[in-house]
Amino acid sequence: MLIGILPTILTIILLFATSKGRQFIDSLPLKNLTYLNIVRIPVEIILLWLFLNKAIPELMTFEGRNFDIIAGITAPIIAYFGLTKSKLNRQTILIWNFICLGLLVNIVVNALFSAPSPIQKFAFDQPNIAILNFPFSWLPTFIVPIVLFGHLTSIRQLLKYKIEIKTNEKTTNG
């Protein structure tokens, strides 16, 4: 798992740490990054199926402690009303991103502590064994990092936009 997760996380860090990386990040369309979260709906359905087939604990589903599906369901609403129709302000979209990032962290922590390992703290009766098998190993090694990257990029863009607005107001009012 470390071989699959570490390069992705290092790539994300490298993109945020270098000027060319930040330039790339800033060029990504915020609307597409928001719509990307729709992927969380089928992921949650797969997690429910994995629970029913005794491959993950219930706490990793929306019947347990995982409310990540909310991000997937609300993503098209936020993208459409916030970024297409401009009916939501940037602060609302920023708050939505922070909440959804928290939902992602919640399931990652629960998944990590449910996996059969020396740090396992939950779900001893039904550990998270699905991630040990392909294609479910793509959840922590590909899908979660992509969603994480999307939120971090969106947050950066929204905060940067907010700063530019304030700077412009100061120059025009001053």
Side-chain angles (χ1 to χ4, degrees):
M1 292 305 291
L2 194 57
I3 293 169
I5 296 170
L6 191 59
T8 315
I9 299 301
L10 289 175
T11 301
I12 291 171
I13 292 169
L14 187 64
L15 285 169
F16 277 88
T18 63
S19 60
K20 289 219 184 251
R22 288 188 300 273
Q23 186 178 8
F24 167 72
I25 285 168
D26 292 342
S27 74
L28 295 172
L30 186 58
K31 190 186 317 182
N32 293 359
L33 293 170
T34 305
Y35 275 119
L36 172 71
N37 286 281
I38 294 172
V39 75
R40 292 158 102 155
I41 297 170
V43 166
E44 296 310 312
I45 293 167
I46 290 167
L47 289 177
L48 180 63
W49 178 81
L50 287 169
F51 163 67
L52 295 173
N53 287 281
K54 303 191 182 329
I56 66 167
E58 183 179 31
L59 66 88
M60 287 182 57
T61 71
F62 50 79
E63 291 184 347
R65 299 181 194 169
N66 182 0
F67 306 106
D68 207 40
I69 197 165
I70 295 167
I73 292 168
T74 58
I77 297 165
I78 296 294
Y80 182 74
F81 288 107
L83 301 167
T84 301
K85 294 291 186 182
S86 299
K87 299 286 184 191
L88 303 173
N89 62 32
R90 294 257 174 187
Q91 185 176 7
T92 301
I93 301 167
L94 183 64
I95 291 167
W96 177 83
N97 270 282
F98 276 115
I99 290 169
C100 293
L101 183 60
L103 292 171
L104 184 67
V105 168
N106 173 60
I107 185 53
V108 167
V109 167
N110 279 295
L112 182 67
F113 287 141
S114 298
S117 70
I119 63 166
Q120 183 177 2
K121 302 285 182 220
F122 312 131
F124 290 101
D125 54 331
Q126 178 50 67
N128 175 10
I129 58 171
I131 60 166
L132 304 174
N133 301 298
F134 182 83
F136 309 112
S137 58
W138 280 56
L139 288 171
T141 59
F142 183 70
I143 294 174
V144 168
I146 292 278
V147 171
L148 172 67
F149 175 74
H151 282 304
L152 295 176
T153 299
S154 297
I155 290 166
R156 173 182 162 76
Q157 287 183 11
L158 290 162
L159 289 174
K160 186 177 180 186
Y161 180 79
K162 189 176 179 181
I163 291 166
E164 288 172 2
I165 295 284
K166 286 182 182 175
T167 305
N168 290 340
E169 285 175 359
K170 284 180 184 174
T171 28
T172 54
N173 293 336

